[in-house]
Amino acid sequence: MPSNLIADRIPTSFDTTFQRYYAVEAPDLRRLYENAKRDQWNASRDIDWAIDVDPERGIFADELIDGHGTTTISRLERRDFQRLNIEFSCWRLSQLLHGEEGAMLACSQLVDMVPGNDAKFFQATQVVDEARHTEVLSRYLLEKCGGRIYPMTGNVKTLFDYILGQGKWFIKTVGLQLLAETFAVSLFRMLMETAKDPLLREICRRILADESRHMGFSILSLPDEIRGLSSGDLHELEDFTREALVLIMTGQFPREAYEAIGMNAVDIEAVRKARKEIALGSEYSLFRKLFRREMHQTVVSNMQKVGLLNERTSAFMREMGINTTLAATA
Ligand SMILES: [Fe+2]
Ligand SMILES: [Fe+2]
């Protein structure tokens, strides 16, 4: 498909800060920039692309396949379940891939927008990091998974439309580095530890090494900015935080993956209903629970570190089922 048919045009406007002060102002951000230069890797050279995905073994752990544990999925023939493993894994990885592309675009805007050179230097390295993540995940899907790149879900699109259209850098950074990347880090870590495919485990390990720096950028750059916000700006940031958390936390239904293995509409609907109950029930897979707990804990503690955990945000996080006292025990 020609690339212009699968491209969105997102209107945006922001001020570019062309600053000309070159002495170090934020040594901690400079350190992060030094680490970024030191830890660069090359996706074409450092990944063993000779390894092939084994379609019988699958990609993700079976417990991670959406709908696992429902009667409809348990009834599938072994062969069909193997195919579902591949399709679902590719569907999930496609969402991460679109997120990496969006992250690259957001960071290139941040190079322009952030006020000081220490932050600009670091953001310049994050642009390269996100390009590499986009490269490595797309190459995996194109070369190792028969080109199974699924369309972006509504939630990912809404989130990135907002992040990319936004004219305030601290809102972009909360959306990308503080919230979306916290989710991505938890997911990449779980995949690194549990995926059946060794090539994917290695890719996730490499990506994770970069992602901790990206989260670090938000922790270092946001506290002063948030402390100095007008009440109007703070309110806007809190509202955005709520929206972004809902978009990130709400599970998206992988309909296209079920359709790809030929499941009919009735069965797909049965899975959709049953998976909700399973998520609430006690038999919900242990490591999914651990994933959710780890992610909630990191979100709460990061929000606390940057000064965004207050009465208002705590109240709506509790409504979402996030335990806001988690940070204290982290
Ligand atoms: Fe990334
Ligand atoms: Fe990142």
Side-chain angles (χ1 to χ4, degrees):
M1 196 182 280
S3 60
N4 60 352
L5 291 182
I6 44 172
D8 290 323
R9 305 185 73 83
I10 299 159
T12 183
S13 86
F14 52 79
D15 290 342
T16 292
T17 312
F18 187 171
Q19 67 95 58
R20 288 174 297 281
Y21 181 79
Y22 298 100
V24 175
E25 289 176 293
D28 42 3
L29 280 174
R30 278 295 172 114
R31 214 161 26 244
L32 209 55
Y33 170 64
E34 283 299 325
N35 294 348
K37 287 187 294 177
R38 183 194 64 200
D39 297 338
Q40 290 297 301
W41 51 281
N42 183 339
S44 41
R45 195 193 55 212
D46 298 330
I47 298 288
D48 184 2
W49 292 105
I51 304 175
D52 277 324
V53 171
D54 176 355
E56 295 203 356
R57 178 176 52 202
I59 299 176
F60 287 6
D62 289 337
E63 292 87 339
L64 277 190
I65 307 308
D66 218 320
H68 181 269
T70 63
T71 35
T72 317
I73 298 298
S74 314
R75 275 204 315 261
L76 286 178
E77 302 276 334
R78 202 179 110 78
R79 260 212 87 57
D80 287 336
F81 185 74
Q82 284 168 339
R83 286 170 59 214
L84 181 61
N85 181 306
I86 301 286
E87 298 298 338
F88 174 78
S89 303
C90 291
W91 178 88
R92 167 59 71 210
L93 291 173
S94 298
Q95 306 316 320
L96 288 167
L97 167 65
H98 302 313
E100 300 290 0
E101 174 85 16
M104 175 180 72
L105 301 177
C107 291
S108 80
Q109 298 177 337
L110 284 170
V111 175
D112 279 22
M113 296 166 84
V114 287
N117 238 3
D118 308 299
K120 285 183 189 297
F121 282 10
F122 179 76
Q123 277 310 301
T125 69
Q126 192 176 346
V127 175
V128 183
D129 290 350
E130 305 300 0
R132 183 170 53 242
H133 299 170
T134 309
E135 175 198 353
V136 76
L137 285 177
S138 62
R139 186 166 173 186
Y140 180 78
L141 290 168
L142 289 169
E143 288 181 16
K144 300 293 168 184
C145 303
R148 286 178 176 82
I149 296 181
Y150 280 90
M152 184 159 53
T153 66
N155 281 16
V156 178
K157 175 158 171 42
T158 306
L159 179 66
F160 275 97
D161 279 357
Y162 198 93
I163 289 176
L164 292 169
Q166 178 51 238
K168 293 172 180 162
W169 78 264
F170 54 88
I171 293 188
K172 273 188 216 290
T173 291
V174 165
L176 183 70
Q177 283 102 338
L178 195 77
L179 302 176
E181 296 200 301
T182 299
F183 174 79
V185 162
S186 303
L187 194 53
F188 280 126
R189 183 168 303 129
M190 186 168 61
L191 293 176
M192 177 185 78
E193 288 166 1
T194 67
K196 291 180 177 183
D197 181 44
L199 179 58
L200 181 65
R201 287 202 303 270
E202 174 59 10
I203 288 173
C204 292
R205 187 182 72 78
R206 288 282 188 176
I207 290 178
L208 269 175
D210 296 335
E211 294 299 350
S212 52
R213 290 195 302 273
H214 305 166
M215 243 190 330
F217 173 79
S218 63
I219 305 297
L220 294 178
S221 65
L222 285 172
D224 284 347
E225 185 70 17
I226 290 178
R227 209 172 302 124
L229 289 181
S230 68
S231 62
D233 276 348
L234 183 62
H235 211 82
E236 186 185 353
L237 180 62
E238 291 166 355
D239 287 344
F240 167 71
T241 301
R242 174 172 44 209
E243 293 303 310
L245 279 172
V246 169
L247 291 168
I248 291 167
M249 305 284 190
T250 313
Q252 293 281 282
F253 188 58
R255 180 176 305 281
E256 300 100 321
Y258 301 119
E259 285 169 353
I261 66 155
M263 273 172 67
N264 64 44
V266 176
D267 282 350
I268 293 176
E269 186 54 23
V271 175
R272 198 182 65 78
K273 283 197 180 133
R275 71 201 271 276
K276 280 196 176 158
E277 285 150 33
I278 284 189
L280 299 170
S282 56
E283 68 275 45
Y284 198 48
S285 131
L286 181 66
F287 63 64
R288 280 197 176 207
K289 276 190 188 146
L290 289 174
F291 166 75
R292 201 163 46 185
R293 188 183 156 80
E294 181 199 291
M295 185 176 66
H296 288 183
Q297 198 163 330
T298 316
V299 164
V300 171
S301 95
N302 284 355
M303 283 179 60
Q304 190 177 47
K305 283 179 195 159
V306 304
L308 196 52
L309 192 69
N310 54 35
E311 254 172 60
R312 188 159 177 256
T313 57
S314 296
F316 66 64
M317 285 166 79
R318 276 194 300 274
E319 267 169 45
M320 277 174 220
I322 301 175
N323 177 357
T324 50
T325 59
L326 282 172
T329 59

